[in-house]
Amino acid sequence: SSSEDEWEEMELVDTGEIKGKNVQVTVEDPGKKDFKSLWMRREVNRCIREKWENCHRVNILCYIAHLQYLKNQTLDGNFIPSLMLSTIVLENIAKLKEKYSSLCVTAQMNRKGKGVSKKKASSGTDSQIMIQGGVRDVTARYAGQFSRSDFRRRRTDPKWLARTLGKGVIRANRKRARLEDTHLQKELVNKPLPTTLSEYKNHPLYVLEKDLLKFEAIYPRPEDQKPLGVVRGHKVYPRSSVHTLQGANNWIKQARSVKEGEKPYKVVKGRPNLRVPAEMREQRYLEVYGYWQTEPYRPPKVMN
């Protein structure tokens, strides 16, 4: 409890006097922006992000190396066979040795014979790849929030991860990788549609029209196809219907030309001419087309 000495006497003020007075608020003028300091701050933040990214990549590589070490010590070495033999009675070792030696000889003879089918040969190759080991990213199988944009933003660059895991030493079996992709795809399809708009950002299966980039478009047009659902007034479309558009000159660089009579699928703002002063620049627009609006490039006939 507080004593009476802690209380401070205050003068009573009439509220009518306060209403009659004008209140003045002074705001300091920020002045011109210091672009040099902004650039320095941006560069420092970029270096910090690169440092975090490199630390995360080194951590991933260390985990991969540790897994390879454990695999070499257990599967490729004599550690597991020695543990298995230590649990067998010594009297049965001779019998097992004779039995498995005869099986090995029979298997070698069958491999050299003409009756070996291609199916058995391919299964032997697959088992050899399995024994050699491989590393594959299966985060989508265990992470419940893998489809969320903030979760994928915290992960390392997927292109770097794909290049790293595609090396010959740690590359996983392609056949099993395709089966794994099919299984993960089915799990994503069976999940219900996300309920928040942020989850559709860079979602592997669904897209909102408001999240499309400058040179992206939905084909067929949204009014010509039925949406998969509606979330807070925004229609949901499959990610497979999103295509990248390019200008006529860029299509020519890819040995394709726009068909005659084709109208641009989308019109976007073009890049300004930096050689012209900012106050004299005019807004330019670029007509972009989709792949379905092009055909293989046919050079014009040479006329004498």
Side-chain angles (χ1 to χ4, degrees):
S1 61
S2 59
S3 61
E4 296 181 357
D5 297 337
E6 296 178 357
W7 292 93
E8 182 180 358
E9 295 183 359
M10 303 293 295
E11 296 181 0
L12 298 178
V13 180
D14 188 7
T15 56
E17 297 179 359
I18 298 178
K19 293 181 179 179
K21 295 182 179 180
N22 296 328
V23 179
Q24 183 178 0
V25 179
T26 304
V27 180
E28 296 182 359
D29 186 10
K32 296 183 179 179
K33 293 183 179 180
D34 189 359
F35 291 99
K36 185 176 181 180
S37 61
L38 292 176
W39 177 80
M40 289 291 295
R41 189 181 307 154
R42 191 181 301 113
E43 290 297 318
V44 170
N45 293 335
R46 183 179 61 83
C47 294
I48 293 175
R49 287 195 301 269
E50 289 182 356
K51 180 182 177 181
W52 291 346
E53 185 77 12
N54 293 333
C55 291
H56 185 55
R57 292 178 180 179
V58 170
N59 191 17
I60 293 176
L61 294 177
C62 291
Y63 273 118
I64 293 175
H66 185 63
L67 290 174
Q68 290 292 320
Y69 171 77
L70 294 178
K71 187 264 298 181
N72 295 332
Q73 292 295 322
T74 55
L75 298 180
D76 296 343
N78 297 324
F79 180 70
I80 297 298
S82 60
L83 288 180
M84 295 175 63
L85 291 175
S86 63
T87 60
I88 301 176
V89 183
L90 296 178
E91 298 177 355
N92 298 329
I93 292 180
K95 297 180 181 179
L96 292 173
K97 185 177 180 181
E98 294 177 359
K99 180 179 179 180
Y100 284 106
S101 62
S102 61
L103 289 176
C104 293
V105 172
T106 305
Q108 290 178 1
M109 292 178 63
N110 289 335
R111 289 180 182 178
K112 294 180 180 179
K114 298 181 180 180
V116 181
S117 62
K118 295 182 179 179
K119 185 176 181 180
K120 291 184 179 179
S122 62
S123 63
T125 305
D126 293 341
S127 63
Q128 184 178 1
I129 294 175
M130 290 168 57
I131 291 173
Q132 289 179 356
V135 181
R136 175 175 167 77
D137 182 20
V138 291
T139 310
R141 186 196 302 173
Y142 303 102
Q145 299 181 351
F146 182 78
S147 59
R148 297 179 63 91
S149 59
D150 54 349
F151 179 83
R152 294 194 300 271
R153 196 184 307 115
R154 292 194 299 268
R155 302 184 73 231
T156 186
D157 185 12
K159 295 182 180 179
W160 175 87
L161 190 61
R163 290 196 306 268
T164 304
L165 299 182
K167 302 296 182 180
V169 180
I170 59 176
R171 183 173 54 196
N173 187 356
R174 294 182 179 179
K175 182 178 180 180
R176 298 190 63 180
R178 287 195 296 268
L179 294 176
E180 183 77 20
D181 292 337
T182 305
H183 177 69
L184 295 177
Q185 188 76 6
K186 289 182 179 179
E187 287 188 351
L188 286 175
V189 171
N190 294 332
K191 289 183 179 180
L193 292 176
T195 56
T196 59
L197 298 179
S198 60
E199 295 184 36
Y200 288 93
K201 190 73 173 180
N202 297 326
H203 195 280
L205 294 181
Y206 312 112
V207 66
L208 300 179
E209 192 173 3
K210 72 178 188 65
D211 294 333
L212 295 176
L213 300 179
K214 180 178 179 180
F215 291 97
E216 289 183 347
I218 296 177
Y219 178 78
R221 294 185 180 275
E223 55 269 15
D224 297 337
Q225 61 173 309
K226 184 178 180 181
L228 301 177
V230 179
V231 177
R232 297 186 179 182
H234 296 274
K235 297 181 180 180
V236 182
Y237 298 96
R239 175 67 64 174
S240 58
S241 62
V242 178
H243 300 270
T244 302
L245 309 178
Q246 298 188 32
N249 293 334
N250 286 345
W251 281 121
I252 292 178
K253 295 177 183 178
Q254 301 183 20
R256 300 191 67 85
S257 59
V258 180
K259 299 178 183 178
E260 294 184 3
E262 286 288 343
K263 296 182 180 180
Y265 198 79
K266 188 178 180 181
V267 179
V268 299
K269 291 184 179 181
R271 295 179 180 177
N273 188 2
L274 300 180
R275 299 178 182 177
V276 180
E279 58 275 5
M280 299 177 60
R281 293 176 188 171
E282 296 181 358
Q283 182 62 53
R284 298 188 299 180
Y285 296 92
L286 177 64
E287 298 178 350
V288 290
Y289 303 86
Y291 182 85
W292 60 93
Q293 296 178 295
T294 62
E295 60 184 1
Y297 178 73
R298 299 177 182 177
K301 296 182 180 180
V302 179
M303 303 296 293
N304 189 0

